[in-house]
Amino acid sequence: MDYEELIRDALATPFEGWDWAVFRGRMTADDDLPWDYERLVRERLPHTPSLLDLGTGGGELLSSLTPLPPRTAATEGHPPNLPIARDRLEPLGVEVAESARHFPDGSFGLIADRHEAFDPHEIRRLLAEGGTFVTQQVAGRDLEELNAALGGPPHEDHTWDLATATAALDAAGLEVTWSAEAAYPVAFHDVGAVVLFLRVVSWQVPGFDARAYEDRLRALHGDMPLKATARRFALTARRA
């Protein structure tokens, strides 16, 4: 497809839940992390009576973790995803809420969070004594080469990293019991994939608009693939 067709397609392609199949072959990643987030959560499920999944998206991962603890809840703050998550998770007995604010103190023995921003003090409030928080996070410098190629501003939370998260959890009274960080290569193979990605991950380049960035996008169109570096970190923390 030519430039105009790729951009039109990127702006019109529907995206629901958190299903990345639409990027297959157009955005590739060697994402073999030295940890397995799903395993970190799954191995704790038999030992907890209650689970909260923060930022569940469309409930894709959570629904795959059955059997779930007797009390399982999830949050999803992105309005288009909320009905998708409810349709998938409520038949499994999972309560789905827009936010965790209405859950009482000490409600959960395990809180899981993949790529969702969190408030350390709220995590502590929600955890029962001895409860565990498991999270995998996208670091603030994630895909910074994309921002640079577009001449755009950095990610709003570009200082977010493992050290910052650990210090914040410690200040909230939680003990970090394990942590790791890693980076891996990512490639965007056409400019339409770049625009679609920035539609979905709207916080990557704050204020992104395809028309405003047309000159940079056209330059990228003639010089694909765009190579970048994904940055992740993970940790577990415990409330004493």
Side-chain angles (χ1 to χ4, degrees):
M1 287 191 284
D2 63 19
Y3 174 83
E4 285 79 10
E5 289 175 313
L6 285 166
I7 299 303
R8 281 198 301 271
D9 182 70
L11 295 175
T13 298
F15 189 90
E16 293 185 341
W18 208 239
D19 182 359
W20 290 81
V22 69
F23 289 99
R24 189 172 294 123
R26 303 178 66 191
M27 176 184 173
T28 55
D30 183 12
D31 56 352
D32 186 17
L33 291 168
W35 65 84
D36 183 336
Y37 171 80
E38 181 177 334
R39 181 186 62 79
L40 289 171
V41 175
R42 189 183 292 278
E43 68 186 10
R44 290 170 169 81
L45 295 182
H47 312 294
T48 183
S50 51
L51 166 67
L52 174 64
D53 185 32
L54 293 176
T56 198
E60 296 88 352
L61 176 59
L62 183 58
S63 63
S64 75
L65 297 177
T66 54
L68 296 167
R71 184 188 182 202
T72 298
T75 67
E76 179 49 47
H78 186 48
N81 285 349
L82 192 59
I84 298 168
R86 284 179 169 152
D87 286 347
R88 177 175 281 120
L89 296 175
E90 287 181 346
L92 301 177
V94 178
E95 179 184 359
V96 182
E98 291 183 50
S99 81
R101 287 192 296 269
H102 76 278
F103 293 117
D105 295 2
S107 291
F108 301 99
L110 177 63
I111 297 177
D113 174 343
R114 185 175 68 168
H115 301 174
E116 177 77 356
F118 65 86
D119 177 345
H121 294 279
E122 183 71 349
I123 297 297
R124 188 184 187 283
R125 182 188 74 79
L126 290 165
L127 278 176
E129 287 188 18
T132 299
F133 176 51
V134 178
T135 187
Q136 177 177 296
Q137 291 284 305
V138 178
R141 293 179 55 211
D142 186 63
L143 305 180
E144 62 186 358
E145 299 89 347
L146 172 56
N147 299 63
L150 291 172
H155 189 286
E156 292 174 348
D157 295 323
H158 65 278
T159 61
W160 180 240
D161 59 14
L162 177 58
T164 303
T166 299
L169 288 164
D170 181 69
L174 294 167
E175 177 191 3
V176 175
T177 55
W178 168 86
S179 64
E181 54 190 339
Y184 57 86
V186 172
F188 294 89
H189 296 278
D190 67 75
V191 73
V194 170
V195 172
L196 178 55
F197 177 83
L198 293 174
R199 265 186 57 207
V200 175
V201 188
S202 57
W203 53 89
Q204 178 71 40
V205 178
F208 174 79
D209 180 273
R211 290 167 297 182
Y213 283 88
E214 183 175 359
D215 289 346
R216 293 280 188 155
L217 289 169
R218 285 187 178 274
L220 278 179
H221 177 57
D223 192 29
M224 299 302 285
L226 171 63
K227 296 181 179 180
T229 304
R231 293 175 170 84
R232 302 285 185 271
F233 66 88
L235 60 83
T236 60
R238 179 178 178 273
R239 179 185 172 182

